[in-house]
Structure formats: C-alpha cells, structure tokens
C-alpha cells in the first residue's frame, strides 16, 4: 500500500519529504515533533467512551487483517467501530471512530490538541476520500478535540472535556484536491530523480522537517535561518530575495537589533557590558536572595480538580538561598509522583521562603504563573504565596535588554545560551554532564515514570531529577555572580 494518513499529510506539507524518505533516508535527522506531551490517560481511548459500546479493530502489522476484520464488523446494521480500516487504490486509512446507522456512516477523527489545525482537516479529508471512493455513504465527518476551557471538578465530564466539530462541508469540498494530491504524490515517488523543491516556510510548518539540514546544505554556514528571534516569514522573505548570508544581511534592511547580533559574530566583537544598567538591576535586589526554579508537567486529561487541559502543574522546585557574604544554602522539593502533590509543594514553598524575601527567577513569567495558580487554589496559603509572587525579580532582564551581551549568545537571552556563553568551559555548569535528566521535558517525562518505579531504580531517577533542578538554580547563582563581577 502506498499512502497512509500520516504519509498523505507529509505530502501535503512537501512531497519531497516522502521522496527523500524513500530514496535518501540516511540524510534524515531525528526530530522531536511532539508539540505537547500526552501523558496519563490516552485521549483517543477516552474519546471512544463518548460513544458507549464499540467494536475495536486491533492493530496488526498486516493491514489486510485489519481491513478484513473491519469488513466483518461492518456486517452489523448499526454499529460503532474504532480503528475501522480501509484501502482504496493502495491508499490506506484507519478511522478513529466510525458510526454505522443502516447504510449511512459518520466518521470521527480524535485529536489531543485544543484547536483544529489545517493539517487535521487534510488528514480527515484524506480519510473521507478513501471511504467515499469505496462507495460508502459518509453523511458526516467530525473532529473531536480538547476543550482548553474545561476545568475538572469531580468526575471527568467527557461531554465538556471534548468538543466535536462538524467538518463535513470542508472534507466534501476538498475531495478533488485530495485526489489530485495523491496522483501527483505517486508520480513524484515513482520518479527516481530528486525533486526540485526549494526550502521555504513549508519546511517548518505544520512540522519541522527532518530533512532541513540536507535541503539547506548549500547555504552559507551562517545564514538567515540561524538568526534567533526573527520571524519565519521574514527569514523566508530574505531568502527568496537572495539575502542569505550574514554578510548579505548586514547590508540589508534588517532591523538593527539583528544587525547588531550579526556584527558581533562577523567581527568577533568583545562582550558588551552596560555597567550602569546592570548596576541599576543589581540595586533592585536585597539579601538573602532566593533563587527559585520550578519544574512542571502538562497533561491533556486533567487528573485532579482545578486543572485545565495542558495547564502547567508544578511537581518540583529548587531553591538556592544566597546571603550577602556569598554563603549558599540549598532547599528543594520533589513530589512522590503518586497522587496530587500541589498543596504539599505550596506548603513547603511558603515554609522555605519567608514573606517579603527577594526572589529571583530566570524568565519569571513562568514562576509567577505557577505561584498565582497555587494561590488561587488554596485560600489559606494565598496571602503568603502572593507575597512571594509580588517579590519576584527576573534575572533574565539584563540579558533580554542586552545590557550584557556576548557573541556566543547568538542573539538569544535564553539561559540555554546565556549560561554556556558566560561559563564556556565549566563542567559543573554543563547540562550534558548530568545523567538521565538534561532538560525540562525530560524532567516532566521522568515525573510520570516515578509512580511506575520502585527500589533502586526509583531512587536513581529521583536523585537525577533533583540534580537537574538543582543545577537550574545553581546556574542562576553563577549568572548573578558574573553580573556582579562585570560592574567591578
Ligand atoms: S526541508 Fe523543506 S524542501 Fe526539504 S524535504 Fe523538507 S519540507 Fe521539503
């Protein structure tokens, strides 16, 4: 079988993706295209419960088996089938949920997203094409997705958690387009010579393409696509106008702040330090300083009351407390991973941070949003939590304002760039030297594993999670130290 739902969607993004995947797979890069983590309860499984009793077509690597099982299930006059599988002219698809009423069908595509994106419409249009081409009387097509406004309160209310959107008119109107796309894709794939498709915004949307490095291999080493913060459409516009290299860009109408970044890199400029502004920032701090960093997880299906889908839920924090003599004390919290630990975390936090303290976070919007959320949950802790909220300062500010800038930051003020730029050769500040957990997404993945482990394995994972988060706030202590040194 030639095409599937996912392959068709890739072809919609760029047909060369499928061609390279077939003829030059060795140049493909690993890309994590998971936009949001889907942990805990599976969205697809839960959505099926909206329909009551159903027949499930079990996955089989032999797709013909799934197709014949579907045929068997469809002998019923009225039925609901999940993963109902079909093939038409070598185009295969499994429909998430198919409802049969007499000779009429309704199809449902389930998405764990909180909105209906264009690529989902392509996906279901392809399925509609396959089914209707087989002569099935598909009356309606729907996309079921997550309602981001839903807040859990007691048992899950599936009819409120999910939104069902009727997309019948859209899929009907796209049928010819799908047919033409499939035809064109098959022609592409049967041709052994590499298609002549240039890079552009399609390389990044709807998904980052794993062949971008290959397709952009002839660009200058430093080029417009490397510029941090510049809007993608702008990058493509420059590229299409032949303004590609850093040398081209510096003579273009690019905004000054980007030209500044290029100037630093092209001319190997020394660090820029605006002592006055850095001093102004440091003067807003008072000792002891509480360097704070949270780790959080997101889940599509809220496990506890007061949680919305994909909300950031804290499960861990690290706190370095620095006095005016440079003495440092470390405190931390890591949830057990079993049950709701939000209140336990909030209690420990107010115990660790007295009222009217000076608290530092790097990119404080995140820490503030977590604290505000906890304050909204617990009336009795709210006053103290909001006091912490009001006293947070942002260590990112001097870097965001470019009061301290070095060419190694490559135009970014994210701590991922700032830290190695300030401490290029310090193994104690290198996240690569950690075991198991190296970034926030690995930390949240690890959190979900805690409840499944025990004994030594559990201990080892917890220890590595703690080390990771500790490094986050230790890094802040060191970044602040650099700022203090810079004005001496
Ligand atoms: S990098 Fe761009 S041009 Fe190359 S295959 Fe991917 S989407 Fe197509």
């Amino acid at each position: 079988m030639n095409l599937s739902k996912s392959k068709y969607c890739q072809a919609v993004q760029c047909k060369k993706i499928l061609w390279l995947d077939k003829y030059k797979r060795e140049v493909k890069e690993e890309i994590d295209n998971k936009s949001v983590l889907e942990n805990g309860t599976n969205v697809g499984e839960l959505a099926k419960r909206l329909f009551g009793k159903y027949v499930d077509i079990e996955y089989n690597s032999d797709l013909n088996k799934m197709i014949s099982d579907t045929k068997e299930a469809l002998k019923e006059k009225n039925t609901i089938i999940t993963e109902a599988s079909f093939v038409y002219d070598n185009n295969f698809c499994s429909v998430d949920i198919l409802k049969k009423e007499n000779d009429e069908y309704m199809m449902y595509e389930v998405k764990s997203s909180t909105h209906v994106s264009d690529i989902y419409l392509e996906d279901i249009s392809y399925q509609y094409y396959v089914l209707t081409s087989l002569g099935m009387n598909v009356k309606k097509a729907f996309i079921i997705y997550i309602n981001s406004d839903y807040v859990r309160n007691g048992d899950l209310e599936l009819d409120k958690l999910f939104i069902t959107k009727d997309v019948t008119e859209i899929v009907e109107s796209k049928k010819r387009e799908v047919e033409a796309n499939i035809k064109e894709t098959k022609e592409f794939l049967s041709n052994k010579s590499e298609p002549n498709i240039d890079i552009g915004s399609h390389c990044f949307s709807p998904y980052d393409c794993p062949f971008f490095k290959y397709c952009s291999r002839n660009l200058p080493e430093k080029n417009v696509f490397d510029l941090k913060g510049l809007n993608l459409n702008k990058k493509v516009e420059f590229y299409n106008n032949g303004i590609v290299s850093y040398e081209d860009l510096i003579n273009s109408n690019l905004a000054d702040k980007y030209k500044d970044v290029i100037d630093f890199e092209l001319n190997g400029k020394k660090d820029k330090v605006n002592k006055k502004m850095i001093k102004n920032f440091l003067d807003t701090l008072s000792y002891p300083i509480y360097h704070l960093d949270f780790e959080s997880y997101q889940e599509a299906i809220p496990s506890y009351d007061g949680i919305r889908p994909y909300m950031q839920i804290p499960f861990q924090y690290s706190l370095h407390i620095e006095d005016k003599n440079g003495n440092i004390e470390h405190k931390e919290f890591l949830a057990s991973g079993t049950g709701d630990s939000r209140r336990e975390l909030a209690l420990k936090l107010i115990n660790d941070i007295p009222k009217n303290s000076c608290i530092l976070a790097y990119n404080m919007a995140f820490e503030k949003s977590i604290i505000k959320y906890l304050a909204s949950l617990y009336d009795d802790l709210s006053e103290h939590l909001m006091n912490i909220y009001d006293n947070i300062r942002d260590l990112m500010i001097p870097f965001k304002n470019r009061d301290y800038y070095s060419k190694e930051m490559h135009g970014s003020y994210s701590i991922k760039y700032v830290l190695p730029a300030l401490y290029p050769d310090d193994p104690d500040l290198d996240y690569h030297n950690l075991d198991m957990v190296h970034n926030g997404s690995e930390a949240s993945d690890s959190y979900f594993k805690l409840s499944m482990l025990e004994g030594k394995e559990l201990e080892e994972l917890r220890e590595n999670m703690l080390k990771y988060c500790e490094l986050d706030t230790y890094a802040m202590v060191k970044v602040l130290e650099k700022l203090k040194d810079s004005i001496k």
Side-chain angles (χ1 to χ4, degrees):
M1 285 166 211
N2 284 337
L3 284 183
S4 61
K5 292 198 283 188
S6 58
K7 282 192 171 174
Y8 177 77
C9 289
Q10 281 181 321
V12 169
Q13 179 172 353
C14 171
K15 292 182 181 62
K16 195 172 168 184
I17 299 179
L18 290 189
W19 190 92
L20 287 170
D21 211 30
K22 182 172 176 185
Y23 295 104
K24 277 199 174 169
R25 191 168 282 189
E26 68 282 3
V27 298
K28 188 175 187 173
E29 284 194 299
E30 275 299 313
I31 285 195
D32 182 6
N33 263 327
K34 263 196 297 182
S35 53
V36 271
L37 289 171
E38 193 188 314
N39 287 296
T41 317
N42 181 288
V43 172
E45 290 306 310
L46 203 61
K48 289 173 188 173
R49 286 199 225 151
L50 286 167
F51 294 83
K53 220 171 138 220
Y54 57 83
V55 178
D56 186 48
I57 304 299
E58 239 180 78
Y59 175 76
N60 197 305
S61 53
D62 176 6
L63 301 180
N64 287 315
K65 169 81 173 112
M66 294 177 75
I67 293 164
S68 62
D69 286 353
T70 303
K71 268 190 192 146
E72 197 55 39
L74 283 174
K75 285 180 180 163
E76 289 292 324
K77 201 170 169 197
N78 295 307
T79 185
I80 291 163
I81 305 172
T82 61
E83 303 306 325
S85 301
F86 304 92
V87 66
Y88 170 72
D89 193 22
N90 273 331
N91 304 304
F92 175 83
C93 76
S94 290
V95 178
D96 286 346
I97 298 161
L98 185 71
K99 196 170 178 181
K100 181 185 178 197
E101 284 174 359
N102 299 314
D103 286 331
E104 293 182 349
Y105 296 89
M106 280 181 270
M107 52 192 290
Y108 300 82
E109 173 71 13
V110 181
K111 296 292 180 194
S112 53
S113 174
T114 54
H115 61 276
V116 175
S117 67
D118 289 350
I119 199 72
Y120 299 163
L121 295 171
E122 299 290 350
D123 184 340
I124 193 165
S125 296
Y126 168 79
Q127 297 173 51
Y128 177 84
Y129 165 80
V130 172
L131 269 63
T132 51
S133 299
L134 287 167
M136 293 169 71
N137 184 11
V138 180
K139 279 284 172 204
K140 290 276 179 193
F142 300 94
I143 292 181
I144 300 177
Y145 64 105
I146 302 272
N147 175 9
S148 58
D149 292 331
Y150 172 72
V151 182
R152 182 165 184 164
N153 185 11
D155 289 341
L156 274 178
E157 299 155 285
L158 296 185
D159 54 332
K160 290 185 182 157
L161 172 65
F162 289 111
I163 296 173
T164 302
K165 184 178 165 80
D166 185 342
V167 294
T168 315
E169 266 184 38
I170 299 172
V171 298
E172 277 171 357
S173 70
K174 283 176 90 70
K175 191 173 173 186
R176 286 224 165 142
E177 189 187 315
V178 173
E179 188 171 33
N181 255 335
I182 291 174
K183 190 167 170 269
E184 209 183 315
T185 304
K186 287 182 177 174
E187 281 165 12
F188 252 80
L189 289 177
S190 62
N191 192 340
K192 291 230 166 59
S193 51
E194 188 168 329
N196 187 16
I197 296 180
D198 200 0
I199 53 174
S201 53
H202 56 278
C203 305
F204 308 96
S205 175
Y207 306 109
D208 284 342
C209 177
F211 294 105
F212 186 72
K213 197 170 172 193
Y214 172 77
C215 290
S216 63
R217 67 194 179 284
N218 294 325
L219 297 190
E221 196 187 330
K222 280 285 175 191
N223 61 69
V224 64
F225 292 102
D226 295 319
L227 265 186
K228 303 266 173 308
L230 183 64
N231 173 286
L232 176 61
N233 290 336
K234 268 271 162 208
K235 289 182 182 183
V236 173
E237 194 183 311
F238 277 115
Y239 174 77
N240 289 338
N241 288 325
I243 301 167
V244 185
S245 70
Y246 273 15
E247 284 83 358
D248 299 335
L249 285 158
I250 207 147
N251 296 313
S252 71
N253 63 356
L254 184 70
D256 285 347
K257 67 173 183 173
Y258 299 110
K259 280 190 179 177
D260 200 32
V261 170
I262 293 175
D263 185 27
F264 264 77
E265 298 209 19
L266 279 184
N267 300 312
K269 280 182 134 182
K270 287 209 181 105
D271 292 1
K272 173 183 151 190
V273 181
N274 185 335
K275 290 191 179 189
K276 185 171 172 273
M277 294 307 287
I278 292 173
K279 184 172 180 314
N280 286 349
F281 170 77
L282 294 175
D283 285 347
T284 64
L285 309 179
S286 60
Y287 288 91
I289 295 173
Y290 291 73
H291 298 262
L292 175 66
D293 183 74
F294 286 118
E295 298 303 324
S296 66
Y297 68 83
Q298 292 173 281
E299 53 184 1
I301 314 292
S303 294
Y304 307 109
D305 286 358
I307 299 182
R308 280 195 322 270
Y310 297 114
M311 198 171 194
Q312 302 276 2
I313 307 298
F315 62 85
Q316 179 176 15
Y317 69 77
S318 171
L319 189 66
H320 272 91
I321 306 164
E322 180 183 4
D323 73 14
K324 64 174 184 305
N325 300 316
N327 298 315
I328 288 170
E329 187 186 355
H330 182 242
K331 297 191 176 185
E332 60 194 356
F333 174 87
L334 174 57
S336 67
T338 52
D340 182 3
S341 56
R342 290 171 294 171
R343 186 172 171 85
E344 197 188 344
L345 180 144
L347 279 168
K348 172 97 165 68
L349 190 73
I350 59 172
N351 193 45
D352 285 346
I353 304 180
K355 279 186 187 169
N356 303 321
S357 299
C358 173
I359 300 126
L360 258 190
Y362 200 98
N363 194 3
M364 68 179 181
F366 174 68
E367 269 68 26
K368 287 190 99 157
S369 70
I370 297 265
I371 289 172
K372 198 172 187 182
Y373 167 62
L374 292 172
S376 75
L377 285 179
Y378 309 116
D379 279 350
D380 56 331
L381 313 181
S382 164
E383 195 201 334
H384 195 139
L385 285 168
M386 287 312 288
N387 183 280
I388 294 175
Y389 176 93
D390 289 335
N391 287 301
I392 298 186
R393 305 275 177 278
D394 201 336
L395 182 57
M396 189 170 79
I397 294 298
F399 302 99
K400 189 175 180 190
N401 293 344
R402 300 237 175 113
D403 294 328
Y404 194 124
Y405 183 72
S406 90
K407 63 181 187 305
E408 285 78 18
M409 294 175 192
H410 302 296
S412 170
Y413 47 86
S414 146
I415 190 119
K416 278 196 201 109
Y417 287 86
V418 168
L419 186 64
L422 298 181
Y423 294 96
D425 299 311
D426 190 334
D428 290 342
L429 292 171
D430 188 343
Y431 285 85
H432 297 99
N433 293 334
L434 294 172
D435 288 327
M436 295 170 117
V437 188
H438 308 86
N439 54 52
S441 108
E442 285 178 7
S444 67
D445 283 351
S446 300
Y447 171 74
F448 285 103
K449 285 183 196 148
L450 288 178
S451 62
M452 297 173 228
L453 299 177
E454 52 186 30
K456 268 203 146 186
E457 277 187 327
L458 175 63
E459 222 174 275
E460 192 188 6
L461 183 58
R462 284 186 65 86
E463 197 179 304
N464 284 307
M465 290 173 77
L466 290 169
K467 276 188 189 157
Y468 164 71
C469 198
E470 180 175 353
L471 181 52
D472 277 344
T473 46
Y474 179 62
M476 289 168 60
V477 172
K478 297 297 283 181
V479 167
L480 182 65
E481 186 182 303
K482 219 28 148 198
L483 287 179
K484 287 187 282 188
D485 287 348
S486 75
I487 60 162
K488 279 180 186 163

